[in-house]
Amino acid sequence: KRVMWMIKKILKIIEQLKKEYETTNPFVICQYLGIHIEYSNIAVTGMYINSFGIKNIILNSNLSGFAKFFTLAHELWHAIEDNGEEVRFFKDYTFNNTDIFEIKANTFAAYMLLDDEKDCFNIENIDDLEEDIKKELEQFIQRILERNNIVF
Protein backbone atom coordinates (compact mmCIF):
# COMPACT_ATOMS: atom_id res chain seq x y z
CA LYS A 1 0.00 0.00 0.00
CA ARG A 2 2.88 2.37 0.80
CA VAL A 3 4.37 1.80 -2.66
CA MET A 4 1.03 2.54 -4.33
CA TRP A 5 0.73 5.74 -2.29
CA MET A 6 4.23 6.79 -3.39
CA ILE A 7 3.46 6.06 -7.05
CA LYS A 8 0.16 7.94 -6.89
CA LYS A 9 1.93 10.95 -5.37
CA ILE A 10 4.59 10.86 -8.09
CA LEU A 11 1.97 10.53 -10.85
CA LYS A 12 0.04 13.47 -9.40
CA ILE A 13 3.15 15.66 -9.44
CA ILE A 14 3.92 14.64 -13.03
CA GLU A 15 0.34 15.45 -14.08
CA GLN A 16 0.58 18.86 -12.38
CA LEU A 17 3.84 19.60 -14.21
CA LYS A 18 2.41 18.37 -17.52
CA LYS A 19 -0.73 20.47 -17.07
CA GLU A 20 1.14 23.62 -16.07
CA TYR A 21 3.98 23.44 -18.59
CA GLU A 22 2.37 21.31 -21.34
CA THR A 23 5.38 19.00 -21.49
CA THR A 24 7.22 16.27 -19.64
CA ASN A 25 10.57 17.32 -21.11
CA PRO A 26 12.78 17.79 -18.04
CA PHE A 27 14.93 20.40 -19.83
CA VAL A 28 11.90 22.59 -20.51
CA ILE A 29 10.51 22.11 -16.99
CA CYS A 30 13.86 23.06 -15.45
CA GLN A 31 13.85 26.22 -17.55
CA TYR A 32 10.34 27.14 -16.35
CA LEU A 33 11.27 26.44 -12.73
CA GLY A 34 14.49 28.46 -12.92
CA ILE A 35 16.67 25.43 -12.23
CA HIS A 36 20.12 25.91 -13.71
CA ILE A 37 21.64 23.02 -15.66
CA GLU A 38 25.40 22.77 -15.85
CA TYR A 39 27.65 20.18 -17.48
CA SER A 40 30.88 18.93 -16.00
CA ASN A 41 33.21 15.97 -16.21
CA ILE A 42 32.07 14.58 -12.85
CA ALA A 43 32.43 11.02 -11.52
CA VAL A 44 28.65 10.53 -11.21
CA THR A 45 25.91 10.87 -13.82
CA GLY A 46 24.34 13.87 -12.11
CA MET A 47 23.75 15.77 -8.90
CA TYR A 48 21.40 18.36 -7.48
CA ILE A 49 22.75 21.25 -5.42
CA ASN A 50 20.84 24.09 -3.80
CA SER A 51 23.37 26.84 -3.30
CA PHE A 52 22.10 29.92 -1.45
CA GLY A 53 18.57 29.28 -2.70
CA ILE A 54 19.64 28.77 -6.31
CA LYS A 55 18.78 25.32 -7.61
CA ASN A 56 21.43 23.71 -9.81
CA ILE A 57 21.59 20.37 -11.55
CA ILE A 58 24.99 19.24 -12.73
CA LEU A 59 25.04 16.58 -15.44
CA ASN A 60 27.99 14.50 -16.52
CA SER A 61 29.11 16.03 -19.81
CA ASN A 62 29.55 12.55 -21.32
CA LEU A 63 25.84 11.70 -21.11
CA SER A 64 23.70 11.65 -24.23
CA GLY A 65 20.33 10.46 -25.43
CA PHE A 66 18.01 8.72 -22.99
CA ALA A 67 20.65 8.60 -20.23
CA LYS A 68 20.88 12.40 -20.27
CA PHE A 69 17.09 12.84 -20.08
CA PHE A 70 16.70 10.16 -17.41
CA THR A 71 19.46 11.63 -15.25
CA LEU A 72 18.03 15.13 -15.56
CA ALA A 73 14.52 13.92 -14.69
CA HIS A 74 15.96 12.03 -11.70
CA GLU A 75 17.73 15.15 -10.43
CA LEU A 76 14.64 17.25 -11.15
CA TRP A 77 12.77 15.13 -8.60
CA HIS A 78 15.40 15.99 -6.02
CA ALA A 79 15.07 19.67 -6.95
CA ILE A 80 11.28 19.82 -6.63
CA GLU A 81 10.51 17.25 -3.96
CA ASP A 82 13.49 16.16 -1.89
CA ASN A 83 15.39 18.41 0.44
CA GLY A 84 19.00 17.95 -0.68
CA GLU A 85 20.33 19.00 2.71
CA GLU A 86 18.17 16.39 4.42
CA VAL A 87 19.41 13.64 2.09
CA ARG A 88 23.07 14.64 2.63
CA PHE A 89 22.53 14.78 6.40
CA PHE A 90 21.11 11.25 6.40
CA LYS A 91 24.02 10.00 4.29
CA ASP A 92 26.73 11.78 6.28
CA TYR A 93 25.54 11.64 9.89
CA THR A 94 23.23 8.68 10.31
CA PHE A 95 23.15 5.06 9.37
CA ASN A 96 19.71 5.45 7.84
CA ASN A 97 19.28 4.04 4.38
CA THR A 98 18.76 6.78 1.77
CA ASP A 99 17.81 4.36 -1.02
CA ILE A 100 14.18 5.48 -0.80
CA PHE A 101 15.16 8.96 -2.02
CA GLU A 102 16.86 7.43 -5.07
CA ILE A 103 14.04 4.97 -5.73
CA LYS A 104 11.53 7.82 -5.71
CA ALA A 105 13.71 9.87 -8.07
CA ASN A 106 14.13 6.92 -10.45
CA THR A 107 10.40 6.21 -10.36
CA PHE A 108 9.64 9.86 -11.10
CA ALA A 109 12.13 9.89 -14.00
CA ALA A 110 10.77 6.67 -15.44
CA TYR A 111 7.12 7.76 -15.30
CA MET A 112 7.99 11.23 -16.59
CA LEU A 113 9.76 9.81 -19.63
CA LEU A 114 7.18 7.12 -20.33
CA ASP A 115 5.22 7.76 -23.51
CA ASP A 116 1.64 7.39 -22.25
CA GLU A 117 0.19 6.67 -25.67
CA LYS A 118 2.67 3.96 -26.60
CA ASP A 119 3.35 2.76 -23.04
CA CYS A 120 7.06 2.65 -23.86
CA PHE A 121 10.28 4.66 -23.70
CA ASN A 122 12.39 6.13 -26.45
CA ILE A 123 15.45 4.28 -25.20
CA GLU A 124 18.67 5.10 -26.93
CA ASN A 125 22.01 5.05 -25.20
CA ILE A 126 20.56 3.10 -22.27
CA ASP A 127 24.02 1.59 -21.85
CA ASP A 128 25.19 4.99 -20.56
CA LEU A 129 23.10 4.53 -17.41
CA GLU A 130 24.75 3.27 -14.25
CA GLU A 131 24.22 -0.47 -13.88
CA ASP A 132 21.93 -0.24 -10.83
CA ILE A 133 19.75 2.41 -12.49
CA LYS A 134 19.66 0.39 -15.71
CA LYS A 135 18.54 -2.69 -13.76
CA GLU A 136 15.89 -0.70 -11.88
CA LEU A 137 14.59 0.80 -15.15
CA GLU A 138 14.43 -2.64 -16.77
CA GLN A 139 12.42 -3.90 -13.79
CA PHE A 140 10.19 -0.85 -14.07
CA ILE A 141 9.62 -1.54 -17.78
CA GLN A 142 8.79 -5.16 -16.97
CA ARG A 143 6.19 -4.04 -14.40
CA ILE A 144 4.63 -1.76 -17.03
CA LEU A 145 4.44 -4.65 -19.48
CA GLU A 146 2.91 -6.87 -16.81
CA ARG A 147 0.29 -4.36 -15.79
CA ASN A 148 -1.13 -4.54 -19.33
CA ASN A 149 -2.24 -0.91 -19.55
CA ILE A 150 -3.66 -0.75 -16.01
CA VAL A 151 -3.31 2.79 -14.63
CA PHE A 152 -2.50 3.20 -10.95
Side-chain angles (χ1 to χ4, degrees):
K1 290 184 179 187
R2 184 178 168 120
V3 172
M4 291 300 290
W5 175 84
M6 178 185 77
I7 291 172
K8 285 181 181 181
K9 178 182 178 184
I10 289 168
L11 290 173
K12 183 178 179 182
I13 290 169
I14 291 170
E15 282 306 311
Q16 289 170 339
L17 291 169
K18 189 188 297 186
K19 183 177 179 183
E20 187 166 347
Y21 304 115
E22 298 178 357
T23 186
T24 56
N25 182 321
F27 286 93
V28 174
I29 292 172
C30 283
Q31 185 177 8
Y32 279 119
L33 295 176
I35 299 170
H36 300 273
I37 302 169
E38 303 289 332
Y39 296 89
S40 182
N41 190 12
I42 54 178
V44 294
T45 56
M47 65 174 56
Y48 163 69
I49 299 171
N50 185 332
S51 179
F52 300 105
I54 299 171
K55 295 181 176 189
N56 299 281
I57 292 175
I58 303 170
L59 296 177
N60 186 309
S61 54
N62 295 317
L63 291 177
S64 62
F66 183 78
K68 186 184 211 177
F69 277 82
F70 187 88
T71 301
L72 181 61
H74 172 104
E75 298 304 331
L76 176 59
W77 172 263
H78 292 307
I80 63 175
E81 192 63 25
D82 287 342
N83 179 336
E85 292 299 318
E86 179 183 326
V87 175
R88 278 194 292 285
F89 176 84
F90 274 102
K91 284 183 179 177
D92 294 343
Y93 299 107
T94 73
F95 294 109
N96 288 344
N97 190 340
T98 58
D99 287 350
I100 189 64
F101 294 108
E102 300 308 314
I103 291 168
K104 286 180 185 178
N106 285 341
T107 303
F108 173 81
Y111 273 113
M112 177 172 256
L113 298 176
L114 180 66
D115 184 326
D116 290 335
E117 293 174 15
K118 297 178 185 171
D119 215 17
C120 67
F121 298 93
N122 177 11
I123 299 177
E124 58 183 68
N125 298 355
I126 192 171
D127 292 330
D128 290 347
L129 290 173
E130 291 178 10
E131 198 57 38
D132 58 335
I133 295 173
K134 183 177 174 182
K135 183 178 178 183
E136 194 171 320
L137 182 60
E138 288 169 349
Q139 290 172 347
F140 179 85
I141 292 168
Q142 186 60 38
R143 286 193 303 270
I144 288 171
L145 294 174
E146 288 171 0
R147 81 171 191 213
N148 198 17
N149 294 326
I150 296 172
V151 179
F152 291 104

